[in-house]
Amino acid sequence: MSNPTPADSAPDSAPAPASPNVGLIQAAYRAFHARDVQGLLGTLAPDVHWVHPDGMADYELGGTKYGHDGVREFLARVPGVLGGMRLEPREFVEAGDRVVVFGERYVTSVRGRTERMKFVHSWTLRDGKVAVMEDIFDTVLLHRLIES
């Protein structure tokens, strides 16, 4: 009898189910991709803090937006500044009620030029909803894209 290979002895290779916290964040990304504002808001606490770098204040996209109304206003402002955006979360790291996501975004200017940019999103949950979402990225690179 031959020795089993790692593939022979490996359990089913299906990915492990996401934790409830990671599952909620994945649902938020799916809603964002589908441009489903109501679906996105459904993942957020009514008093959510939606935080973007202060360096985006020139475009009315910086600082903290509060509650569902603040998130709606933020999302409504984005098309006036950008031609499009696709987020690709790559890694989810969970610690207690926080999920940190490392990924890439493909951002298109209103003139049609697209750039790849790295991001870090920090999602803090409370009672099964997102209480704080903080977006961390290179604002200088985004400024250059917007202004080019």
Side-chain angles (χ1 to χ4, degrees):
M1 180 170 199
S2 65
N3 290 332
T5 64
D8 293 335
S9 60
D12 182 25
S13 61
S19 73
N21 288 348
V22 171
L24 180 73
I25 302 312
Q26 290 171 331
Y29 284 113
R30 283 191 303 275
F32 182 83
H33 284 270
R35 297 190 169 144
D36 177 4
V37 174
Q38 283 309 114
L40 176 61
L41 294 176
T43 67
L44 307 178
D47 61 346
V48 66
H49 291 192
W50 188 264
V51 184
H52 281 79
D54 289 335
M56 296 305 297
D58 291 351
Y59 306 103
E60 298 177 28
L61 297 175
T64 302
K65 310 303 181 211
Y66 298 97
H68 287 185
D69 287 343
V71 173
R72 275 191 205 93
E73 290 170 18
F74 174 86
L75 295 173
R77 177 72 185 127
V78 172
V81 177
L82 299 173
M85 181 182 315
R86 186 179 82 239
L87 299 175
E88 293 189 3
R90 304 280 188 209
E91 181 181 0
F92 294 77
V93 179
E94 184 175 11
D97 286 335
R98 178 168 288 183
V99 177
V100 177
V101 179
F102 298 89
E104 295 179 336
R105 60 171 33 113
Y106 293 83
V107 183
T108 303
S109 71
V110 293
R111 293 172 192 83
R113 190 171 134 234
T114 300
E115 291 285 340
R116 178 182 66 90
M117 301 175 195
K118 292 183 179 187
F119 72 80
V120 176
H121 288 163
S122 174
W123 303 81
T124 303
L125 289 86
R126 181 184 69 238
D127 300 327
K129 297 284 185 178
V130 174
V132 179
M133 192 293 293
E134 184 174 3
D135 191 358
I136 303 160
F137 60 92
D138 184 340
T139 59
V140 172
L141 187 56
L142 189 53
H143 277 260
R144 286 184 191 147
L145 179 65
I146 291 169
E147 295 168 7
S148 65

